[in-house]
Every structure is written in structure tokens, then in C-alpha cells.
Amino acid sequence: MNYSCNLGVRRYVFPDLKTVLAKASPARSGDMLAGVAAASEEERMAARLVLADIPLVRFLHEAVVPYESDEVTRLIIDGHDATAFGPVAMLSVGEFRDWLLSDNADSITLAALAPGLTPEMVAAVSRLMRAQDLILVAAKCQVVTRFRNTLGLPGRLAVRLQPNHPTDDPRGIAASMLDGLLYGVGDAVIGINPATDSLPAITTLLKLIDDFRQQYEVPTQSCVLTHVTNSIRAIENGAPLDLVFQSIGGTEGVNRSFGVTTAILDEAWDAALSLQRGTVGQNVMYFETGQGSALSANAHHGADQQTLEARAYALARRYQPLLVNTVVGFIGPEYLYDGKQIIRAGLEDHFCGKLLGLPMGCDICYTNHAEADQDDMDTLLTLLGVAGINFIIGVPGADDIMLNYQSTSFHDALYLRRILNRRRAPEFEDWLERMGITDYRGQLLPPGADQPLLALAERI
């Protein structure tokens, strides 16, 4: 089916829905590299005019990636909730934008709508939105998840404590972990990217965090961000695993390049649930995504990177995860060239994930060869905080010495909490007060002899 419009003296014709989405997308280097981006700002505007008039229901009948050859597409179409979709079923993409920005679309209404939306629908409407629109709608979406504490409550902001070390040295990891906890960080998860994927090394790290957690009764969860098959093996061997992690993408092909299928993810989900390690809930999965992964794997099917990113969220939604985050600037400038593109992508990803009902976080980051700096990250950090992001990443000094990229620091979390009056997860906040790390308001206390973690840190 062709889509077309007249703009001035020129007529623009787009052969299919996939092309309309790609041409309407804000400019980014990855789409240019893939050859799917608009050739001019005029063509981009023409595609947006066309997109605004397309009925939402059209996305249920014209797939961006063929149904017959892609299990993510089949999951999206077969799992669509027609009843939940009902309230917006008669709207076009442009009308949907107006409705989302209205007072009729409140938190309760948006939560009920989420199962009725497909990722292509939310990716489409994001193209018609300015930054403030993306922020306003995302801030109305509340997604609460639970394991050993409660994440995503209104007025709350969680932080993943990321104590990576280039050689997985237990003392180095422990030092970074204690540093983060003394700054009040770690309620989302204590999550380590291992330097090696050997099962004994992974088990050692899992035991390191779990022994510490049990000794000090920390109400948080741990995760070693290894491949999902290693997590399954670790569970089979009796390792103290809380969350199963996996990087995922928006097509069957990119997931195959990651070594995963829905069948493997189903097996891991069942295995983690069988452990019943959560105390206040059983959301046991943690997913990371990032725009550009499908193009890197040559599995993009000619679609734009932001639409495929949103499709990854539909896969994540199947597993009721505790955490999902886009590692927004990590893949590099080939996909998001500069600070402007990274900021826009971060806001889009958060908006799309939240609208689909996911507990979205963001690794607000960039690589050292991108045209970006820490000021850009401060801007995105602040905008996502206003947009109600569930969690961010906490890295010592904002510089990950194992993955060699720039992220956000423990101090950045303190800034965002103070400027926006965001509290920690309630169970974690109570624990920090009992440990003498914060006062009843959640403010950090000066170091003192009554802080057992400080005494432990001095012995490392």
C-alpha cells in the first residue's frame, strides 16, 4: 500500500508503512548508515504529515518485519489485547498524540491501555512529539515492580549500583559497592558486568553480593549481567541468583545474534521464578536494549532503529521484568552521532517503554569518540528525571573502568534526588536510615563511628 502527500509543488510517495516510519524519524546517524533516513527535512515533514493521518488500527494489519519470518512480530500481533486497545481504536496517529497530551490520558487510563498498544504505534506517535511532549506523557505513566523492594512508586527514583572491575577483583568490586551504598545508591539492583563469562567467576560474584546482602540485611537485589544461558546453568548449580539478565533487540535476527530466542528466555524466566527469592514480589527479569543493535547485527529488515528499539520492549513486556533500561549512547556515534541525537533517543526510548507498560530506566551514557560530553548527559539526566524515569545507573566517578565508557555517577543521583525531591525505594530508604547512612528525610549523614558499612570499607 502506498502512502503519499503533496508538500508545496512536490508530491512524496512512500511505498509502505515501514518507509513512512523511517522517513518521519528525527535525523540520526544510524538511519543514515542504513540508508533509510529522509533525504531532506522537507521529506521528513512530508512523512510526518502522512503518518499523522494513518489510523492506529493499520499497524495491526501491516507489519514492519514480516509475520511469517519473525517471532517478535508474531509475539506482538498474537499477544495484542483488542479490549485494552478499544478506547483509542478509532484514532489516527495524530489524534492519538492529542489524546495522550490531554487530561483524559491519566495514569490509570494509560496503564489500562498499555496491553493494547503495539511498539510500532508508540514509535509512530513519538515522531509527532517535541521533547516536552515525550516528557509530559511519560511522566503520567507509572509502572511499579517488586522483588526485595518496591520500584517505580510516585516521587521515587532508584539507582543501579554498577561496581564493575576490569579483572573482576573481589576487593575492587567490594570497594565500589560500599562506596555506592554509602552514597545511598543500589535500590534498583547491585549489578555487575563481569569481565569474563566463565561460570565459576560468575558464581563467585553472585556469592560475593549475596553474602554481603544477607550479612547486612540489605533490601535490594543482585544481578551478574551474564548471558541468559549462564544464568540458567548457575540456577541449576544452586548459585544465589536473584535476577536473570539479557540484552535483547527488536527482531528475531538480532536476538539470534545475541544467542537467545523466546524459548530460551521462557526457560530462564521459569527457572528464576522457581527459586522464589523475592520477598515483596517476583519480577525476576532484567533487560537492556539500545538503538542500533539490529543494524549492527544486519537484522534490521530495512526498518529504522527507533522502531526496532520499541519492538524490543514488546519482547521484554512478555516477561514482566523488574528492570528495563536503554543503554542509550553506548553503541557509538555510528548510530547516535552527538549529544543532540543521544538526548532525543533517550527521551523517545523512555516514552515508548513507559507507554508499553515497562519499568524503564536509562544508562545515560556516551562513548569517548562520540560528539558528546558530560553536559549533554546532565541535560538528559535532568529531562528523564522530570519525565519520571524509574531508575538510572550509578558508576564510581561516572567512568566505567571495565566497559570504558562514560555514564552517571553516585553524585549525579544525589543531584537529581535533591533538585526533583525524589526518594529512594521505601524499603531501601528505611534500611539506609537504620544503618546511619541517611536521616529520616533521606539526606546523607556525615561519616561516623555508628556506620558499620564505613568501618567495613576502611578494612578493604
Side-chain angles (χ1 to χ4, degrees), residues 126 130-132 134-135 138 291 306 326 328 341-353 362 379-385 387:
S126 75
R130 294 166 56 187
Q132 64 177 252
L134 297 172
I135 293 167
Q291 289 193 28
Q306 194 255 334
T326 167
V328 68
Q341 292 187 10
I342 291 172
I343 290 168
R344 173 72 193 192
L347 293 175
E348 288 172 348
D349 293 351
H350 178 250
F351 163 86
C352 290
C362 183
T379 299
L380 181 54
L381 172 71
T382 305
L383 293 174
L384 285 173

PDB file of all heavy atoms in Angstrom, residues 126 130-132 134-135 138 291 306 326 328 341-353 362 379-385 387:
ATOM      1  N   SER A 126       5.578   8.944  18.696  1.00  0.00           N
ATOM      2  CA  SER A 126       6.734   9.676  19.221  1.00  0.00           C
ATOM      3  C   SER A 126       7.324  10.614  18.174  1.00  0.00           C
ATOM      4  O   SER A 126       7.898  11.654  18.504  1.00  0.00           O
ATOM      5  CB  SER A 126       7.813   8.703  19.720  1.00  0.00           C
ATOM      6  OG  SER A 126       8.521   8.094  18.645  1.00  0.00           O
ATOM      7  N   ARG A 130       7.358  16.782  20.300  1.00  0.00           N
ATOM      8  CA  ARG A 130       8.533  17.515  20.750  1.00  0.00           C
ATOM      9  C   ARG A 130       9.040  16.885  22.040  1.00  0.00           C
ATOM     10  O   ARG A 130       8.377  16.030  22.646  1.00  0.00           O
ATOM     11  CB  ARG A 130       8.180  18.977  20.986  1.00  0.00           C
ATOM     12  CG  ARG A 130       7.791  19.739  19.745  1.00  0.00           C
ATOM     13  CD  ARG A 130       7.126  21.057  20.088  1.00  0.00           C
ATOM     14  NE  ARG A 130       7.973  21.883  20.956  1.00  0.00           N
ATOM     15  CZ  ARG A 130       7.558  23.027  21.514  1.00  0.00           C
ATOM     16  NH1 ARG A 130       6.312  23.441  21.304  1.00  0.00           N
ATOM     17  NH2 ARG A 130       8.366  23.722  22.271  1.00  0.00           N
ATOM     18  N   ALA A 131      10.191  17.360  22.486  1.00  0.00           N
ATOM     19  CA  ALA A 131      10.765  16.815  23.729  1.00  0.00           C
ATOM     20  C   ALA A 131       9.805  16.984  24.891  1.00  0.00           C
ATOM     21  O   ALA A 131       9.614  16.061  25.700  1.00  0.00           O
ATOM     22  CB  ALA A 131      12.102  17.501  24.025  1.00  0.00           C
ATOM     23  N   GLN A 132       9.173  18.136  25.008  1.00  0.00           N
ATOM     24  CA  GLN A 132       8.277  18.361  26.148  1.00  0.00           C
ATOM     25  C   GLN A 132       7.070  17.428  26.103  1.00  0.00           C
ATOM     26  O   GLN A 132       6.551  17.023  27.149  1.00  0.00           O
ATOM     27  CB  GLN A 132       7.822  19.819  26.203  1.00  0.00           C
ATOM     28  CG  GLN A 132       6.985  20.280  25.047  1.00  0.00           C
ATOM     29  CD  GLN A 132       6.518  21.718  25.230  1.00  0.00           C
ATOM     30  OE1 GLN A 132       5.332  21.944  25.479  1.00  0.00           O
ATOM     31  NE2 GLN A 132       7.425  22.656  25.126  1.00  0.00           N
ATOM     32  N   LEU A 134       7.106  14.292  24.883  1.00  0.00           N
ATOM     33  CA  LEU A 134       7.610  12.993  25.333  1.00  0.00           C
ATOM     34  C   LEU A 134       7.721  12.955  26.854  1.00  0.00           C
ATOM     35  O   LEU A 134       7.413  11.946  27.491  1.00  0.00           O
ATOM     36  CB  LEU A 134       8.969  12.705  24.697  1.00  0.00           C
ATOM     37  CG  LEU A 134       9.010  12.579  23.170  1.00  0.00           C
ATOM     38  CD1 LEU A 134      10.456  12.500  22.686  1.00  0.00           C
ATOM     39  CD2 LEU A 134       8.225  11.354  22.697  1.00  0.00           C
ATOM     40  N   ILE A 135       8.154  14.054  27.430  1.00  0.00           N
ATOM     41  CA  ILE A 135       8.325  14.134  28.885  1.00  0.00           C
ATOM     42  C   ILE A 135       6.972  14.134  29.585  1.00  0.00           C
ATOM     43  O   ILE A 135       6.754  13.406  30.572  1.00  0.00           O
ATOM     44  CB  ILE A 135       9.131  15.394  29.252  1.00  0.00           C
ATOM     45  CG1 ILE A 135      10.573  15.259  28.748  1.00  0.00           C
ATOM     46  CG2 ILE A 135       9.111  15.645  30.756  1.00  0.00           C
ATOM     47  CD1 ILE A 135      11.362  16.552  28.788  1.00  0.00           C
ATOM     48  N   ALA A 138       5.254  10.593  29.334  1.00  0.00           N
ATOM     49  CA  ALA A 138       5.980   9.585  30.119  1.00  0.00           C
ATOM     50  C   ALA A 138       5.799   9.810  31.611  1.00  0.00           C
ATOM     51  O   ALA A 138       5.707   8.847  32.382  1.00  0.00           O
ATOM     52  CB  ALA A 138       7.461   9.615  29.749  1.00  0.00           C
ATOM     53  N   GLN A 291      19.352   1.491  20.788  1.00  0.00           N
ATOM     54  CA  GLN A 291      19.125   1.777  19.378  1.00  0.00           C
ATOM     55  C   GLN A 291      20.386   1.465  18.564  1.00  0.00           C
ATOM     56  O   GLN A 291      21.480   1.875  18.918  1.00  0.00           O
ATOM     57  CB  GLN A 291      18.741   3.242  19.177  1.00  0.00           C
ATOM     58  CG  GLN A 291      17.359   3.596  19.686  1.00  0.00           C
ATOM     59  CD  GLN A 291      16.896   4.958  19.193  1.00  0.00           C
ATOM     60  OE1 GLN A 291      17.297   5.426  18.131  1.00  0.00           O
ATOM     61  NE2 GLN A 291      16.034   5.599  19.979  1.00  0.00           N
ATOM     62  N   GLN A 306      14.820   3.304  15.747  1.00  0.00           N
ATOM     63  CA  GLN A 306      13.974   3.582  16.907  1.00  0.00           C
ATOM     64  C   GLN A 306      12.727   2.701  16.931  1.00  0.00           C
ATOM     65  O   GLN A 306      12.289   2.254  17.992  1.00  0.00           O
ATOM     66  CB  GLN A 306      13.579   5.061  16.934  1.00  0.00           C
ATOM     67  CG  GLN A 306      12.983   5.504  18.267  1.00  0.00           C
ATOM     68  CD  GLN A 306      11.480   5.678  18.217  1.00  0.00           C
ATOM     69  OE1 GLN A 306      10.911   5.944  17.157  1.00  0.00           O
ATOM     70  NE2 GLN A 306      10.830   5.519  19.353  1.00  0.00           N
ATOM     71  N   THR A 326      17.475   1.268  28.505  1.00  0.00           N
ATOM     72  CA  THR A 326      18.151   1.529  27.258  1.00  0.00           C
ATOM     73  C   THR A 326      19.546   2.069  27.569  1.00  0.00           C
ATOM     74  O   THR A 326      19.693   2.990  28.373  1.00  0.00           O
ATOM     75  CB  THR A 326      17.362   2.540  26.398  1.00  0.00           C
ATOM     76  OG1 THR A 326      18.188   3.001  25.331  1.00  0.00           O
ATOM     77  CG2 THR A 326      16.891   3.734  27.197  1.00  0.00           C
ATOM     78  N   VAL A 328      21.697   4.125  26.153  1.00  0.00           N
ATOM     79  CA  VAL A 328      21.319   4.956  25.019  1.00  0.00           C
ATOM     80  C   VAL A 328      22.488   5.373  24.128  1.00  0.00           C
ATOM     81  O   VAL A 328      22.364   5.398  22.910  1.00  0.00           O
ATOM     82  CB  VAL A 328      20.502   6.178  25.489  1.00  0.00           C
ATOM     83  CG1 VAL A 328      21.357   7.147  26.292  1.00  0.00           C
ATOM     84  CG2 VAL A 328      19.856   6.889  24.319  1.00  0.00           C
ATOM     85  N   GLN A 341      21.429  13.933  19.302  1.00  0.00           N
ATOM     86  CA  GLN A 341      20.783  12.672  18.926  1.00  0.00           C
ATOM     87  C   GLN A 341      20.627  11.752  20.129  1.00  0.00           C
ATOM     88  O   GLN A 341      19.612  11.052  20.259  1.00  0.00           O
ATOM     89  CB  GLN A 341      21.585  11.988  17.817  1.00  0.00           C
ATOM     90  CG  GLN A 341      21.544  12.732  16.491  1.00  0.00           C
ATOM     91  CD  GLN A 341      22.187  11.966  15.347  1.00  0.00           C
ATOM     92  OE1 GLN A 341      22.514  10.780  15.467  1.00  0.00           O
ATOM     93  NE2 GLN A 341      22.393  12.634  14.220  1.00  0.00           N
ATOM     94  N   ILE A 342      21.612  11.727  21.018  1.00  0.00           N
ATOM     95  CA  ILE A 342      21.526  10.880  22.213  1.00  0.00           C
ATOM     96  C   ILE A 342      20.394  11.349  23.113  1.00  0.00           C
ATOM     97  O   ILE A 342      19.612  10.534  23.639  1.00  0.00           O
ATOM     98  CB  ILE A 342      22.872  10.882  22.968  1.00  0.00           C
ATOM     99  CG1 ILE A 342      23.941  10.152  22.146  1.00  0.00           C
ATOM    100  CG2 ILE A 342      22.717  10.219  24.337  1.00  0.00           C
ATOM    101  CD1 ILE A 342      25.347  10.280  22.720  1.00  0.00           C
ATOM    102  N   ILE A 343      20.268  12.649  23.313  1.00  0.00           N
ATOM    103  CA  ILE A 343      19.207  13.179  24.173  1.00  0.00           C
ATOM    104  C   ILE A 343      17.837  12.829  23.611  1.00  0.00           C
ATOM    105  O   ILE A 343      16.952  12.350  24.328  1.00  0.00           O
ATOM    106  CB  ILE A 343      19.361  14.700  24.345  1.00  0.00           C
ATOM    107  CG1 ILE A 343      20.593  15.006  25.202  1.00  0.00           C
ATOM    108  CG2 ILE A 343      18.111  15.321  24.974  1.00  0.00           C
ATOM    109  CD1 ILE A 343      21.019  16.462  25.194  1.00  0.00           C
ATOM    110  N   ARG A 344      17.648  13.049  22.324  1.00  0.00           N
ATOM    111  CA  ARG A 344      16.367  12.738  21.708  1.00  0.00           C
ATOM    112  C   ARG A 344      16.063  11.235  21.823  1.00  0.00           C
ATOM    113  O   ARG A 344      14.938  10.836  22.173  1.00  0.00           O
ATOM    114  CB  ARG A 344      16.372  13.158  20.232  1.00  0.00           C
ATOM    115  CG  ARG A 344      15.137  12.741  19.438  1.00  0.00           C
ATOM    116  CD  ARG A 344      13.899  13.541  19.794  1.00  0.00           C
ATOM    117  NE  ARG A 344      12.700  12.925  19.251  1.00  0.00           N
ATOM    118  CZ  ARG A 344      11.514  13.509  19.203  1.00  0.00           C
ATOM    119  NH1 ARG A 344      11.376  14.743  19.673  1.00  0.00           N
ATOM    120  NH2 ARG A 344      10.449  12.886  18.724  1.00  0.00           N
ATOM    121  N   ALA A 345      17.049  10.399  21.559  1.00  0.00           N
ATOM    122  CA  ALA A 345      16.837   8.948  21.623  1.00  0.00           C
ATOM    123  C   ALA A 345      16.481   8.504  23.035  1.00  0.00           C
ATOM    124  O   ALA A 345      15.609   7.646  23.231  1.00  0.00           O
ATOM    125  CB  ALA A 345      18.076   8.213  21.130  1.00  0.00           C
ATOM    126  N   GLY A 346      17.141   9.073  24.034  1.00  0.00           N
ATOM    127  CA  GLY A 346      16.838   8.710  25.412  1.00  0.00           C
ATOM    128  C   GLY A 346      15.409   9.044  25.794  1.00  0.00           C
ATOM    129  O   GLY A 346      14.720   8.253  26.461  1.00  0.00           O
ATOM    130  N   LEU A 347      14.941  10.220  25.379  1.00  0.00           N
ATOM    131  CA  LEU A 347      13.564  10.611  25.676  1.00  0.00           C
ATOM    132  C   LEU A 347      12.564   9.730  24.934  1.00  0.00           C
ATOM    133  O   LEU A 347      11.529   9.349  25.484  1.00  0.00           O
ATOM    134  CB  LEU A 347      13.344  12.078  25.315  1.00  0.00           C
ATOM    135  CG  LEU A 347      14.116  13.102  26.157  1.00  0.00           C
ATOM    136  CD1 LEU A 347      13.893  14.513  25.617  1.00  0.00           C
ATOM    137  CD2 LEU A 347      13.714  13.027  27.625  1.00  0.00           C
ATOM    138  N   GLU A 348      12.862   9.400  23.673  1.00  0.00           N
ATOM    139  CA  GLU A 348      11.987   8.512  22.899  1.00  0.00           C
ATOM    140  C   GLU A 348      11.904   7.134  23.531  1.00  0.00           C
ATOM    141  O   GLU A 348      10.804   6.566  23.687  1.00  0.00           O
ATOM    142  CB  GLU A 348      12.523   8.364  21.475  1.00  0.00           C
ATOM    143  CG  GLU A 348      12.362   9.564  20.584  1.00  0.00           C
ATOM    144  CD  GLU A 348      13.098   9.387  19.263  1.00  0.00           C
ATOM    145  OE1 GLU A 348      13.913   8.450  19.136  1.00  0.00           O
ATOM    146  OE2 GLU A 348      12.866  10.195  18.360  1.00  0.00           O
ATOM    147  N   ASP A 349      13.051   6.575  23.875  1.00  0.00           N
ATOM    148  CA  ASP A 349      13.077   5.220  24.429  1.00  0.00           C
ATOM    149  C   ASP A 349      12.282   5.150  25.724  1.00  0.00           C
ATOM    150  O   ASP A 349      11.495   4.218  25.945  1.00  0.00           O
ATOM    151  CB  ASP A 349      14.516   4.771  24.671  1.00  0.00           C
ATOM    152  CG  ASP A 349      15.305   4.578  23.387  1.00  0.00           C
ATOM    153  OD1 ASP A 349      14.697   4.619  22.296  1.00  0.00           O
ATOM    154  OD2 ASP A 349      16.535   4.401  23.470  1.00  0.00           O
ATOM    155  N   HIS A 350      12.495   6.132  26.588  1.00  0.00           N
ATOM    156  CA  HIS A 350      11.777   6.146  27.866  1.00  0.00           C
ATOM    157  C   HIS A 350      10.274   6.280  27.644  1.00  0.00           C
ATOM    158  O   HIS A 350       9.472   5.558  28.250  1.00  0.00           O
ATOM    159  CB  HIS A 350      12.302   7.296  28.729  1.00  0.00           C
ATOM    160  CG  HIS A 350      11.608   7.428  30.043  1.00  0.00           C
ATOM    161  ND1 HIS A 350      10.760   8.463  30.338  1.00  0.00           N
ATOM    162  CD2 HIS A 350      11.614   6.628  31.145  1.00  0.00           C
ATOM    163  CE1 HIS A 350      10.285   8.313  31.558  1.00  0.00           C
ATOM    164  NE2 HIS A 350      10.787   7.210  32.069  1.00  0.00           N
ATOM    165  N   PHE A 351       9.887   7.176  26.759  1.00  0.00           N
ATOM    166  CA  PHE A 351       8.471   7.377  26.441  1.00  0.00           C
ATOM    167  C   PHE A 351       7.843   6.088  25.908  1.00  0.00           C
ATOM    168  O   PHE A 351       6.778   5.653  26.373  1.00  0.00           O
ATOM    169  CB  PHE A 351       8.355   8.505  25.406  1.00  0.00           C
ATOM    170  CG  PHE A 351       7.038   8.566  24.690  1.00  0.00           C
ATOM    171  CD1 PHE A 351       5.965   9.262  25.229  1.00  0.00           C
ATOM    172  CD2 PHE A 351       6.873   7.946  23.457  1.00  0.00           C
ATOM    173  CE1 PHE A 351       4.749   9.326  24.560  1.00  0.00           C
ATOM    174  CE2 PHE A 351       5.667   8.004  22.780  1.00  0.00           C
ATOM    175  CZ  PHE A 351       4.589   8.693  23.337  1.00  0.00           C
ATOM    176  N   CYS A 352       8.491   5.471  24.914  1.00  0.00           N
ATOM    177  CA  CYS A 352       7.920   4.267  24.299  1.00  0.00           C
ATOM    178  C   CYS A 352       7.826   3.122  25.295  1.00  0.00           C
ATOM    179  O   CYS A 352       6.812   2.411  25.349  1.00  0.00           O
ATOM    180  CB  CYS A 352       8.755   3.864  23.078  1.00  0.00           C
ATOM    181  SG  CYS A 352       8.608   4.976  21.671  1.00  0.00           S
ATOM    182  N   GLY A 353       8.871   2.915  26.084  1.00  0.00           N
ATOM    183  CA  GLY A 353       8.852   1.842  27.064  1.00  0.00           C
ATOM    184  C   GLY A 353       7.777   2.032  28.114  1.00  0.00           C
ATOM    185  O   GLY A 353       7.036   1.099  28.459  1.00  0.00           O
ATOM    186  N   CYS A 362      17.420   4.174  32.279  1.00  0.00           N
ATOM    187  CA  CYS A 362      18.305   4.560  31.187  1.00  0.00           C
ATOM    188  C   CYS A 362      19.737   4.620  31.696  1.00  0.00           C
ATOM    189  O   CYS A 362      19.992   5.181  32.765  1.00  0.00           O
ATOM    190  CB  CYS A 362      17.906   5.924  30.622  1.00  0.00           C
ATOM    191  SG  CYS A 362      18.885   6.458  29.200  1.00  0.00           S
ATOM    192  N   THR A 379      22.019  17.182  30.866  1.00  0.00           N
ATOM    193  CA  THR A 379      20.746  17.604  30.275  1.00  0.00           C
ATOM    194  C   THR A 379      19.781  16.436  30.189  1.00  0.00           C
ATOM    195  O   THR A 379      18.623  16.527  30.615  1.00  0.00           O
ATOM    196  CB  THR A 379      20.980  18.200  28.876  1.00  0.00           C
ATOM    197  OG1 THR A 379      21.834  19.344  28.986  1.00  0.00           O
ATOM    198  CG2 THR A 379      19.660  18.608  28.225  1.00  0.00           C
ATOM    199  N   LEU A 380      20.248  15.299  29.646  1.00  0.00           N
ATOM    200  CA  LEU A 380      19.379  14.132  29.524  1.00  0.00           C
ATOM    201  C   LEU A 380      18.976  13.602  30.894  1.00  0.00           C
ATOM    202  O   LEU A 380      17.816  13.211  31.103  1.00  0.00           O
ATOM    203  CB  LEU A 380      20.074  13.041  28.702  1.00  0.00           C
ATOM    204  CG  LEU A 380      19.283  11.748  28.466  1.00  0.00           C
ATOM    205  CD1 LEU A 380      17.907  12.031  27.859  1.00  0.00           C
ATOM    206  CD2 LEU A 380      20.069  10.783  27.586  1.00  0.00           C
ATOM    207  N   LEU A 381      19.909  13.583  31.825  1.00  0.00           N
ATOM    208  CA  LEU A 381      19.610  13.139  33.192  1.00  0.00           C
ATOM    209  C   LEU A 381      18.462  13.950  33.786  1.00  0.00           C
ATOM    210  O   LEU A 381      17.507  13.396  34.357  1.00  0.00           O
ATOM    211  CB  LEU A 381      20.867  13.281  34.057  1.00  0.00           C
ATOM    212  CG  LEU A 381      20.726  13.049  35.561  1.00  0.00           C
ATOM    213  CD1 LEU A 381      20.490  11.574  35.854  1.00  0.00           C
ATOM    214  CD2 LEU A 381      21.973  13.533  36.300  1.00  0.00           C
ATOM    215  N   THR A 382      18.538  15.255  33.651  1.00  0.00           N
ATOM    216  CA  THR A 382      17.515  16.123  34.230  1.00  0.00           C
ATOM    217  C   THR A 382      16.177  15.938  33.530  1.00  0.00           C
ATOM    218  O   THR A 382      15.121  15.840  34.183  1.00  0.00           O
ATOM    219  CB  THR A 382      17.960  17.590  34.142  1.00  0.00           C
ATOM    220  OG1 THR A 382      19.239  17.740  34.757  1.00  0.00           O
ATOM    221  CG2 THR A 382      16.970  18.505  34.841  1.00  0.00           C
ATOM    222  N   LEU A 383      16.188  15.860  32.205  1.00  0.00           N
ATOM    223  CA  LEU A 383      14.943  15.685  31.456  1.00  0.00           C
ATOM    224  C   LEU A 383      14.275  14.355  31.790  1.00  0.00           C
ATOM    225  O   LEU A 383      13.052  14.287  31.960  1.00  0.00           O
ATOM    226  CB  LEU A 383      15.223  15.773  29.956  1.00  0.00           C
ATOM    227  CG  LEU A 383      15.669  17.140  29.431  1.00  0.00           C
ATOM    228  CD1 LEU A 383      16.040  17.041  27.963  1.00  0.00           C
ATOM    229  CD2 LEU A 383      14.594  18.193  29.639  1.00  0.00           C
ATOM    230  N   LEU A 384      15.064  13.291  31.889  1.00  0.00           N
ATOM    231  CA  LEU A 384      14.486  11.988  32.230  1.00  0.00           C
ATOM    232  C   LEU A 384      13.975  11.966  33.670  1.00  0.00           C
ATOM    233  O   LEU A 384      12.984  11.303  33.974  1.00  0.00           O
ATOM    234  CB  LEU A 384      15.515  10.881  32.006  1.00  0.00           C
ATOM    235  CG  LEU A 384      15.773  10.510  30.543  1.00  0.00           C
ATOM    236  CD1 LEU A 384      16.939   9.535  30.427  1.00  0.00           C
ATOM    237  CD2 LEU A 384      14.532   9.926  29.891  1.00  0.00           C
ATOM    238  N   GLY A 385      14.651  12.688  34.561  1.00  0.00           N
ATOM    239  CA  GLY A 385      14.145  12.791  35.922  1.00  0.00           C
ATOM    240  C   GLY A 385      12.781  13.448  35.957  1.00  0.00           C
ATOM    241  O   GLY A 385      11.858  12.972  36.635  1.00  0.00           O
ATOM    242  N   ALA A 387      10.728  13.439  33.540  1.00  0.00           N
ATOM    243  CA  ALA A 387       9.820  12.513  32.860  1.00  0.00           C
ATOM    244  C   ALA A 387       9.435  11.315  33.713  1.00  0.00           C
ATOM    245  O   ALA A 387       8.652  10.473  33.265  1.00  0.00           O
ATOM    246  CB  ALA A 387      10.453  12.033  31.549  1.00  0.00           C
TER     247      ALA A 387
END
